[in-house]
Amino acid sequence: MKILTYNVNGIRAALKKGWLEWLKGENPDVICIQEIKATPDQVPEIALLEEMGYEHYWYPAQKKGYSGTAIFTRITPNHIEYGCGHEDYDFEGRIIRADFDKASVMSVYFPSGTTGDVRQDFKYQFLDDFQSYSNDLLKEKPNLVVCGDFNICHRAIDIHNPKSNANSSGFLPAEREWMENFINSGYIDSFRHLNSDPHHYTWWSYRAGARGKNLGWRIDYNMVSNGLKDSIKSSRIIPQAIHSDHCPVELILD
């Protein structure tokens, strides 16, 4: 199973940059998308997606042009779970899950705290609630892949300048501690499981030519539950895909 996660920062904008042609070339079995910022009726390219063999499941935010997640899959799921049952997060379309025969795959868009204290507090609450949600879900779905934009750099190796960003949302001590605890609760960071090299990032600011200089953050992950550890075949970051300020991350499960 080839799985991709990709924060597209607006699927309509990404489509104008050749996203569909790129998807055809990559040919994943499942792609988890974040920040769709659209409803299906606003995306006429759905017909082309279907011609490529994809079923598509959307969970847009109630607020127009904001947030939202989706899963496109060539494998028919047994079940699609929309949301997590928490009104605040479901209003923003932050979690969608597809259950298959041998694994469940979740697309998650974690909140950002960069706009101020109110949203940072919201982010911390989401982290607490998501951990509880995950703990319960793993009991029911032990073979789980959590794909998405976590909006957190786990360690210093995951950010281009850890010292100057020590007080930046996304690299705060409490956020990094949460990430460590989340992994220890039953997950494997699939990219780091196979690659310990520095300078691999998944998001770059649009400012000051950051992407060209590779001054980035690794905040997009495919987290694999411990039950699937032996199935991890490969993982790679794909920075040459330029449809967003993020880039996709690939996971292949055997």
Side-chain angles (χ1 to χ4, degrees), residues 120-137:
Q120 185 64 41
D121 289 342
F122 181 83
K123 181 178 184 178
Y124 282 136
Q125 188 61 56
F126 179 92
L127 295 178
D128 288 345
D129 291 338
F130 188 78
Q131 182 68 75
S132 297
Y133 179 68
S134 166
N135 292 343
D136 291 339
L137 188 60

Side-chain angles (χ1 to χ4, degrees), residues 21-246:
E21 291 78 8
W22 167 84
L23 182 66
K24 188 174 183 179
E26 283 292 336
N27 196 33
D29 297 301
V30 180
I31 181 164
C32 295
I33 307 166
Q34 302 86 43
E35 268 202 286
I36 55 174
K37 297 184 179 179
T39 53
D41 59 289
Q42 295 176 307
V43 184
E45 292 88 348
I46 277 180
L48 298 174
L49 194 70
E50 292 172 348
E51 287 177 12
M52 290 165 58
Y54 285 102
E55 299 177 23
H56 46 92
Y57 303 93
W58 305 65
Y59 195 45
Q62 296 298 308
K63 180 181 176 181
K64 297 296 184 183
Y66 176 73
S67 188
T69 51
I71 295 176
F72 300 164
T73 175
R74 281 206 167 103
I75 306 167
T76 298
N78 300 323
H79 173 73
I80 296 290
E81 186 72 21
Y82 296 93
C84 62
H86 193 295
E87 184 178 3
D88 289 344
Y89 315 137
D90 293 350
F91 183 81
E92 297 184 353
R94 293 198 171 269
I95 300 172
I96 184 172
R97 189 185 82 238
D99 295 334
F100 302 100
D101 286 344
K102 296 185 178 180
S104 295
V105 180
M106 187 186 298
S107 180
V108 186
Y109 179 39
F110 284 58
S112 169
T114 57
T115 57
D117 291 344
V118 172
R119 289 303 288 183
Q120 185 64 41
D121 289 342
F122 181 83
K123 181 178 184 178
Y124 282 136
Q125 188 61 56
F126 179 92
L127 295 178
D128 288 345
D129 291 338
F130 188 78
Q131 182 68 75
S132 297
Y133 179 68
S134 166
N135 292 343
D136 291 339
L137 188 60
L138 277 177
K139 297 172 186 175
E140 179 187 350
K141 307 287 183 184
N143 292 342
L144 182 62
V145 184
V146 181
C147 308
D149 175 5
F150 281 59
N151 265 310
I152 300 172
C153 290
H154 181 202
R155 292 177 176 161
I157 193 176
D158 299 315
I159 191 168
H160 73 92
N161 194 335
K163 290 184 178 179
S164 66
N165 285 296
N167 295 314
S168 298
S169 178
F171 196 59
L172 296 172
E175 295 171 324
R176 296 170 61 198
E177 181 182 10
W178 180 89
M179 184 69 88
E180 185 73 18
N181 291 336
F182 176 74
I183 291 170
N184 290 336
S185 75
Y187 291 93
I188 297 157
D189 177 347
S190 59
F191 180 77
R192 280 285 172 243
H193 180 63
L194 300 174
N195 191 320
S196 59
D197 297 334
H199 313 305
H200 291 286
Y201 308 122
T202 65
W203 175 85
W204 302 262
S205 170
Y206 282 129
R207 300 174 184 173
R211 190 162 191 163
K213 300 171 187 175
N214 198 29
L215 305 178
W217 301 40
R218 189 174 75 97
I219 58 177
D220 302 87
Y221 302 82
N222 293 313
M223 293 290 184
V224 177
S225 67
N226 290 341
L228 288 170
K229 180 179 180 179
D230 293 339
S231 298
I232 300 172
K233 184 177 180 181
S234 69
S235 178
R236 68 183 175 116
I237 291 170
I238 312 174
Q240 62 269 29
I242 306 178
H243 313 97
S244 167
D245 50 350
H246 295 250

